[in-house]
Amino acid sequence: MSSSSTTVATRTLRGPYGRKTLVRRLVENGIVNPRVLVVDDEPIVRDVLTRYLSRGGFQVDSAEDGEAALERFTAAPPDLVLLDLMLPGVDGVEVFTRIREDHDTPVIMLTARGEETDRVVGLEIGADDYITKPFSPREVVARVRAVLRRSPAGGRPDDGPLTFDGGEIDPAARTVTVEGRLIGLTPKEFDLLLFLAQHPGQVFGRVELLEELWDFAFDGDPATVTVHVRRLREKVERDPSRPRHLITVWGAGYRFDP
């Protein structure tokens, strides 16, 4: 496959505060240590994805063909594989089949092909996701995070109800009750509250929250997080002007106190 067949966008979200991304913070704290194997015969694709994933806190290995991919997978099994469908020699489908003979490692298929039949092939053989070229590197990083969150090995927090003083958050039902009252939240308000509640006492900057919860689809002002926090306080706090649970840490971000 020639390098001219793929155009890689290099647009990225730049936070004014130089915050560390969520994944990098978790890696440094020893909570997760995600390793991604990037398999693509185009050097520019391997280079760009390696840079973006590394910047996001992932450990990255790469391979230029199917044989090299299988060797690297055996030598250092990754937590996720980004696998080009069209590889010289041993193609992506064969690499995927061999990986899945003994492992359930999540795999995201990459390909320059846009036909529906190729997407169906990738998904029907058991791939966890499918991305067509050209793509945004930020989208790929977001997809990697999403797949790892869904994976049993991804270290996802328990999906059982979370309780706090006077309230309960039910992730499965996506409901919030405060003092016995069902609270109406927008989907993004619920996601933000749940994420903070799943990490009690941990401070997250606005840019970190944007990257985690809005992923690649949002390029706006980080002040949107401030607006969502204010609305959440109005709905779940007894006194929104003196919040008990959704705490502002000046100059750093927000934390949730149960």
Side-chain angles (χ1 to χ4, degrees), residues 166-251:
E168 180 180 274
I169 305 169
D170 188 336
R174 292 185 64 85
T175 58
V176 176
T177 56
V178 176
E179 297 179 347
R181 295 181 296 107
L182 188 64
I183 305 300
L185 300 179
T186 67
K188 196 58 66 178
E189 287 170 351
F190 181 87
D191 291 343
L192 177 58
L193 178 62
L194 176 62
F195 178 78
L196 290 172
Q198 286 176 329
H199 303 84
Q202 186 171 347
V203 179
F204 294 96
R206 295 187 302 173
V207 172
E208 286 179 304
L209 292 169
L210 281 175
E211 292 179 344
E212 175 65 22
L213 299 174
W214 277 260
D215 287 333
F216 60 87
F218 189 83
D219 276 326
D221 188 344
T224 190
V225 176
T226 305
V227 173
H228 279 73
V229 170
R230 186 184 73 240
R231 291 175 178 169
L232 279 173
R233 284 172 175 162
E234 292 171 351
K235 295 179 178 182
V236 304
E237 298 281 6
R238 291 190 179 96
D239 183 356
S241 65
R242 302 179 64 183
R244 164 69 179 81
H245 306 293
L246 293 161
I247 307 300
T248 298
V249 180
W250 296 106

Side-chain angles (χ1 to χ4, degrees), residues 27-46:
V27 168
E28 291 176 351
N29 289 345
I31 299 174
V32 293
N33 190 29
R35 179 187 297 275
V36 177
L37 174 61
V38 177
V39 186
D40 198 292
D41 63 326
E42 297 188 56
I44 186 173
V45 174
R46 296 197 305 274

Side-chain angles (χ1 to χ4, degrees), residues 6-255:
T6 301
T7 302
V8 180
T10 57
R11 193 163 48 88
T12 186
L13 175 65
R14 299 185 181 278
Y17 311 108
R19 301 286 184 206
K20 296 174 182 177
T21 65
L22 170 65
V23 173
R24 185 177 299 280
R25 176 186 291 245
L26 295 177
V27 168
E28 291 176 351
N29 289 345
I31 299 174
V32 293
N33 190 29
R35 179 187 297 275
V36 177
L37 174 61
V38 177
V39 186
D40 198 292
D41 63 326
E42 297 188 56
I44 186 173
V45 174
R46 296 197 305 274
D47 177 66
V48 170
L49 290 180
T50 296
R51 285 191 289 111
Y52 271 77
L53 288 164
S54 297
R55 188 181 304 167
F58 295 93
Q59 296 186 64
V60 185
D61 196 2
S62 65
E64 69 280 2
D65 58 40
E67 289 292 348
L70 292 169
E71 291 175 4
R72 286 172 173 76
F73 186 95
T74 301
D79 298 296
L80 181 142
V81 180
L82 284 167
L83 178 61
D84 187 14
L85 191 59
M86 298 180 64
L87 293 171
V90 180
D91 66 15
V93 173
E94 179 64 20
V95 171
F96 177 88
T97 301
R98 293 192 195 179
I99 287 175
R100 284 295 172 86
E101 286 177 353
D102 300 304
H103 303 271
D104 59 359
T105 304
V107 176
I108 299 177
M109 289 290 193
L110 304 174
T111 184
R113 296 178 178 178
E115 291 82 359
E116 181 181 359
T117 53
D118 296 307
R119 294 195 297 272
V120 170
V121 168
L123 295 174
E124 283 192 343
I125 64 175
D128 296 87
D129 204 349
Y130 192 103
I131 302 175
T132 57
K133 303 174 184 177
F135 50 73
S136 162
R138 283 183 55 211
E139 175 181 355
V140 176
V141 173
R143 297 279 191 96
V144 168
R145 288 175 174 166
V147 169
L148 285 174
R149 283 197 296 266
R150 297 196 302 264
S151 170
R156 185 175 56 184
D158 185 7
D159 285 338
L162 303 174
T163 59
F164 58 96
D165 182 26
E168 180 180 274
I169 305 169
D170 188 336
R174 292 185 64 85
T175 58
V176 176
T177 56
V178 176
E179 297 179 347
R181 295 181 296 107
L182 188 64
I183 305 300
L185 300 179
T186 67
K188 196 58 66 178
E189 287 170 351
F190 181 87
D191 291 343
L192 177 58
L193 178 62
L194 176 62
F195 178 78
L196 290 172
Q198 286 176 329
H199 303 84
Q202 186 171 347
V203 179
F204 294 96
R206 295 187 302 173
V207 172
E208 286 179 304
L209 292 169
L210 281 175
E211 292 179 344
E212 175 65 22
L213 299 174
W214 277 260
D215 287 333
F216 60 87
F218 189 83
D219 276 326
D221 188 344
T224 190
V225 176
T226 305
V227 173
H228 279 73
V229 170
R230 186 184 73 240
R231 291 175 178 169
L232 279 173
R233 284 172 175 162
E234 292 171 351
K235 295 179 178 182
V236 304
E237 298 281 6
R238 291 190 179 96
D239 183 356
S241 65
R242 302 179 64 183
R244 164 69 179 81
H245 306 293
L246 293 161
I247 307 300
T248 298
V249 180
W250 296 106
Y254 301 100
R255 75 168 189 266

